[in-house]
């Protein structure tokens, strides 16, 4: 797809949300883009600080698009090199829905911290979005990587090879081939090169686009002042500071936690390691000066200053098991439905084991989860990125990370949640039903990064005949969504509190929604039944596969809007609902 085609798609999506020329509504509904010079640049602090006033999207292009999708940052083939008709009907529909999902009022915050060679594509798809550039000194980034062992945990050795291969492709080799040699470099060398190249690609893409720089070091030294400046730029009310975790309280895995307070710039690196990273950042920038415009290299170099601000401390050797202790499978009650007036609520959230069983049966029935780079039912992630469900290609079945079988399934799309409901002879609750059921409920259990991840579906102190985690642990998908223009892609409400969201009553009841194929590490599945539905009314895996495949096959109808196409999927998945 050529740049002109991308621009046309972006304009059509923006048009669904209002005029897109001049001072039209789209300028206030287009999302804010927070783009990092690399990972570990304070993006979680920013998004959590603004959560109360801005719906959040965490790396939608990196996480929601399979690496086979032409627009994915993980795709080895640069999008513009794939020719003309590169998008099939499913890929096109998903991308339109995913883009539309980012628009809204109040405007949304979209953070992407490591787009590399897909930076141009992302900015082309969101032409009306204001841009925040999140920067951090390379020594600080390297310290965070070393402290969490992120290079190995997140597979950056393989990632370097993929990025280097793209740098040597026809489109990029003149400017970037010399910056990423395919020489199997050691970790600190490769990290320094990647930091510099990502900053250069971001500076290159923003040459003619206004942007605001938000340095990590500034928010550590003056968090309130930094937040006030950002809120002013975005014309939103400055949110109250997030509550801090009590002293001595540490999440089991704090990789993504933002409730701890940093008030000093310290790098857990020895002097040689710090010098090694800085050396290769500067060497890469120097080589770039031979092939890139001076404005680009000067901008990138300015973003990567500040190493001297960090106090170096000898790294503490941490036992390998403390970063992410293995989960243990605990006894959970069998699924039962607890009666309430007019309906019954299932006692536990849907587990990883249940989700794996359904995905395996659907695969056997001819419905692979991922088609044409689009994840239909669940977004599969590596375990160290929070994924708990994995497809075993050799055995052709879905498996669960050991110890997480009785933890609730997340990264589930609305289509996946609705499929589970139809298979179980149940349905998803409406937002109104969830509000009524949780009125006067106990405080949310497991929220605000208290444990660093979702816990078992069995809530301490609750019996088999009681509803566990009515609020807390995970938010849930609802069966209904907001009223909007019929042409726009359908959305469905999310409700409640999750391990990684606030647990206040205001946050629990806040209205939020996502598109049908969207997913999140904080959203799972809660089932309800009406009086006339039982397991016997559920749909079998073969019938479900037939219905969803039929929807995919019908996406090429040129007479249908995205909203009409989505409503066909909704209709296909609600056959198990009762008279409600």
């Amino acid at each position: 797809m050529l740049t002109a085609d991308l621009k046309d798609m972006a304009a059509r999506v923006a048009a669904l949300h209002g005029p897109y020329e001049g001072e039209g509504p789209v300028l206030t509904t287009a999302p804010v883009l927070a783009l990092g010079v690399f990972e570990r640049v304070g993006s979680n602090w920013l998004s959590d600080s603004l959560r109360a006033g801005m719906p959040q999207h965490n790396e939608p292009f990196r996480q929601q698009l399979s690496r086979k999708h032409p627009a994915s940052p993980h795709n080895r083939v640069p999008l513009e090199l794939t020719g003309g008709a590169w998008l099939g009907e499913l890929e096109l529909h998903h991308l339109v829905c995913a883009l539309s999902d980012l628009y809204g009022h109040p405007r949304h915050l979209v953070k992407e911290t490591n787009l590399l060679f897909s930076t141009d594509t992302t900015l082309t798809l969101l032409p009306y979005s204001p841009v925040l550039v999140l920067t951090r000194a390379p020594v600080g980034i390297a310290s965070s990587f070393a402290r969490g062992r992120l290079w190995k945990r997140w597979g950056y050795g393989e990632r370097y090879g993929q990025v280097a291969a793209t740098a040597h492709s026809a489109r990029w080799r003149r400017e970037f081939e010399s910056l990423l040699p395919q020489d199997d470099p050691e970790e600190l060398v490769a990290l320094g090169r990647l930091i510099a190249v990502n900053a250069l690609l971001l500076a290159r893409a923003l040459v003619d686009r206004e942007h605001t720089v938000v340095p990590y070091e500034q928010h550590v030294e003056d968090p309130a002042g930094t937040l006030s400046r950002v809120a002013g730029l975005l014309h939103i009310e400055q949110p109250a500071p997030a509550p801090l975790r009590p002293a001595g309280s540490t999440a089991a895995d704090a990789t993504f936690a933002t409730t701890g307070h940093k008030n000093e710039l310290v790098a857990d690196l020895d002097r040689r390691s710090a010098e090694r990273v800085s050396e290769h950042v500067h060497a890469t920038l120097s080589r770039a000066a031979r092939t890139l415009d001076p404005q680009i290299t000067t901008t990138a170099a300015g973003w990567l200053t500040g190493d001297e601000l960090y106090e170096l401390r000898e790294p503490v050797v941490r036992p390998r098991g403390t970063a992410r202790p293995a989960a243990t499978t605990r006894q959970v009650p069998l699924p039962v439905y607890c009666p309430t007036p007019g309906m019954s609520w299932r006692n536990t959230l849907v587990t990883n084991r249940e989700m794996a069983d359904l995905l395996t049966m659907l695969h056997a029935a001819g419905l692979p989860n991922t088609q044409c780079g689009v994840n239909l039912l669940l977004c599969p992630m590596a375990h160290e990125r929070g994924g708990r469900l994995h497809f075993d290609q050799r055995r052709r079945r879905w498996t669960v990370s050991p110890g997480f079988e009785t933890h609730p399934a997340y990264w589930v799309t609305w289509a996946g949640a609705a499929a589970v409901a139809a298979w179980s002879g149940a349905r998803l609750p409406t937002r109104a039903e969830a509000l009524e059921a949780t009125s006067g409920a106990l405080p949310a259990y497991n929220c605000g990064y208290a444990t660093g991840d979702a816990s078992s579906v069995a809530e301490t102190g609750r019996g088999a005949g009681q509803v566990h985690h009515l609020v807390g642990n995970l938010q849930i998908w609802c069966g209904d969504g907001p009223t909007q223009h019929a042409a726009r892609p359908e959305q469905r409400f999310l409700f409640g509190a999750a391990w990684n969201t606030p647990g206040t009553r205001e946050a629990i009841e806040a209205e939020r929604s996502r598109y049908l194929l969207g997913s999140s590490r904080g959203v799972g599945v809660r089932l309800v039944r009406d009086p006339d539905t039982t397991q016997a009314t559920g749909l079998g895996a073969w019938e479900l596969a037939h219905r969803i495949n039929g929807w995919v096959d019908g996406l090429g109808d040129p007479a249908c809007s995205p909203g009409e196409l989505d409503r066909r999927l909704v209709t296909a998945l609600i056959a198990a609902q009762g008279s409600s």
Side-chain angles (χ1 to χ4, degrees):
M1 175 170 275
L2 304 177
T3 300
D5 299 315
L6 290 177
K7 289 181 177 179
D8 179 65
M9 177 192 293
R12 286 189 286 114
V13 171
L16 294 171
H17 297 269
Y20 55 92
E21 292 183 0
E23 297 296 324
V26 75
L27 299 181
T28 58
T29 60
V32 175
L33 271 173
L35 304 179
V37 295
F38 209 69
E39 302 205 62
R40 316 308 289 174
V41 292
S43 61
N44 286 344
W45 168 83
L46 179 69
S47 60
D48 277 2
S49 297
L50 299 176
R51 186 183 300 276
M54 300 182 74
Q56 306 289 310
H57 299 268
N58 181 32
E59 300 180 338
F61 292 95
R62 289 182 65 197
Q63 293 184 358
Q64 304 297 319
L65 302 180
S66 161
R67 68 175 53 198
K68 292 183 179 180
H69 195 288
S72 169
H74 293 287
N75 194 318
R76 294 190 185 194
V77 182
L79 185 148
E80 289 81 355
L81 298 183
T82 57
W86 57 271
L87 281 183
E89 285 84 3
L90 178 58
E91 295 164 300
L92 176 62
H93 180 73
H94 179 247
L95 189 55
V96 167
C97 294
L99 284 176
S100 180
D101 190 54
L102 306 180
Y103 284 78
H105 185 78
R107 74 191 324 168
H108 297 199
L109 178 69
V110 176
K111 65 169 187 170
E112 289 279 1
T113 55
N114 215 358
L115 289 171
L116 290 159
F117 288 101
S118 65
T119 303
D120 285 345
T121 300
T122 301
L123 287 167
T124 299
L125 289 170
L126 293 168
Y128 307 105
S129 292
V131 177
L132 302 176
V133 176
L134 309 182
T135 70
R136 188 178 185 182
V139 162
I141 296 172
S143 172
S144 186
F145 264 69
R147 189 164 50 248
R149 298 191 180 95
L150 301 183
W151 184 267
K152 291 184 178 178
R153 284 177 59 189
W154 290 354
Y156 261 93
E158 179 187 2
R159 183 73 174 130
Y160 179 89
Q162 293 171 344
V163 176
T166 302
H168 287 247
S169 66
R171 180 189 172 195
W172 298 102
R173 68 166 62 111
R174 187 184 69 80
E175 295 175 312
F176 289 93
E177 183 178 45
S178 64
L179 310 187
L180 290 173
Q182 294 174 305
D183 55 356
D184 192 24
E186 63 178 89
E187 177 179 325
L188 292 175
V189 174
L191 179 60
R193 291 174 181 172
L194 286 176
I195 291 171
V197 166
N198 192 64
L200 287 163
L201 286 163
L202 185 55
R204 179 180 178 276
L206 291 174
V207 164
D208 297 318
R209 187 151 170 177
E210 290 187 11
H211 56 274
T212 299
V213 178
V214 183
Y216 174 93
E217 292 76 17
Q218 184 183 86
H219 101 241
V220 170
E221 294 174 344
D222 182 18
T226 303
L227 190 56
S228 175
R229 182 169 71 92
V230 171
L233 287 167
L234 301 180
H235 306 292
I236 63 172
E237 184 177 348
Q238 181 174 353
L244 302 180
R245 186 183 297 118
S249 173
T250 305
D253 178 12
T255 303
F256 303 102
T258 61
T259 48
H261 178 54
K262 298 181 179 70
N263 54 15
E264 56 182 353
L265 297 172
V266 175
D268 292 334
L269 294 173
D270 58 55
R271 185 163 299 281
R272 177 56 186 148
S273 295
E275 290 173 349
R276 192 93 168 126
V277 172
S278 295
E279 172 192 347
H280 285 277
V281 168
H282 293 303
T284 303
L285 292 172
S286 296
R287 289 195 298 273
R290 305 170 194 162
T291 58
L292 292 170
D293 187 284
Q295 180 184 349
I296 295 171
T297 55
T298 300
T299 298
W303 291 343
L304 299 177
T305 59
D307 282 348
E308 72 284 356
L309 300 176
Y310 284 78
E311 175 188 347
L312 299 182
R313 292 182 184 172
E314 286 294 323
V316 176
V317 178
R318 293 176 172 83
R320 289 192 177 272
T322 58
R324 187 188 293 275
T328 56
T329 302
R330 59 182 293 187
Q331 191 68 29
V332 300
L334 293 174
V336 298
Y337 287 79
C338 306
T340 62
M343 61 188 297
S344 300
W345 288 72
R346 201 178 105 150
N347 57 344
T348 58
L349 295 163
V350 171
T351 66
N352 285 317
R353 179 185 290 133
E354 292 174 288
M355 197 70 203
D357 288 345
L358 176 58
L359 289 170
T360 296
M361 286 189 283
L362 289 173
H363 186 89
L367 180 66
N369 174 67
T370 303
Q371 299 184 29
C372 305
V374 176
N375 300 313
L376 293 171
L377 308 169
L378 176 127
C379 182
M381 301 286 286
H383 178 83
E384 292 298 350
R385 287 284 189 175
R388 303 292 178 252
L389 289 155
H390 318 282
F391 185 65
D392 185 328
Q393 191 70 43
R394 183 180 64 82
R395 298 166 60 201
R396 301 182 69 79
R397 67 180 299 109
W398 285 80
T399 63
V400 183
S401 295
F404 289 87
E405 291 84 355
T406 61
H407 285 223
Y410 47 47
W411 291 117
V412 181
T413 67
W414 180 88
V420 173
W423 179 55
S424 304
R427 63 177 175 85
L428 304 177
T430 65
R431 172 174 160 78
E433 289 168 342
L435 277 167
E436 181 178 355
T438 58
S439 177
L442 295 173
Y445 177 91
N446 187 18
C447 59
Y449 295 101
T451 63
D453 197 359
S455 57
S456 167
V457 297
E459 182 178 352
T460 303
R462 307 291 284 178
Q466 296 175 292
V467 178
H468 296 238
H469 302 119
L470 189 57
V471 288
N473 213 15
L474 289 181
Q475 296 176 347
I476 59 170
W477 280 109
C478 293
D480 60 337
T483 301
Q484 56 182 19
H485 192 286
R488 293 181 190 172
E490 286 287 302
Q491 295 206 333
R492 287 298 177 263
F493 288 123
L494 310 175
F495 183 84
W499 65 271
N500 57 352
T501 67
T504 63
R505 195 68 215 171
E506 180 182 19
I508 290 169
E509 296 181 354
E511 186 173 303
R512 63 186 75 83
S513 60
R514 296 295 306 277
Y515 70 111
L516 302 186
L517 299 185
S519 62
S520 165
R521 193 180 173 187
V523 180
V525 188
R526 169 80 68 189
L527 302 179
V528 298
R529 277 183 180 163
D530 298 303
D532 55 351
T533 54
T534 67
Q535 183 68 50
T537 64
L539 296 179
W542 287 92
E543 177 64 19
L544 276 170
H546 174 72
R547 290 179 180 223
I548 297 173
N549 280 328
W551 173 74
V552 172
D553 292 341
L555 288 174
D557 188 342
C560 288
S561 67
E564 290 175 285
L565 295 172
D566 275 353
R567 286 187 286 278
R568 291 180 180 179
L569 177 60
V570 173
T571 300
L573 291 174
I574 62 172
Q577 292 189 17
S579 57
S580 67

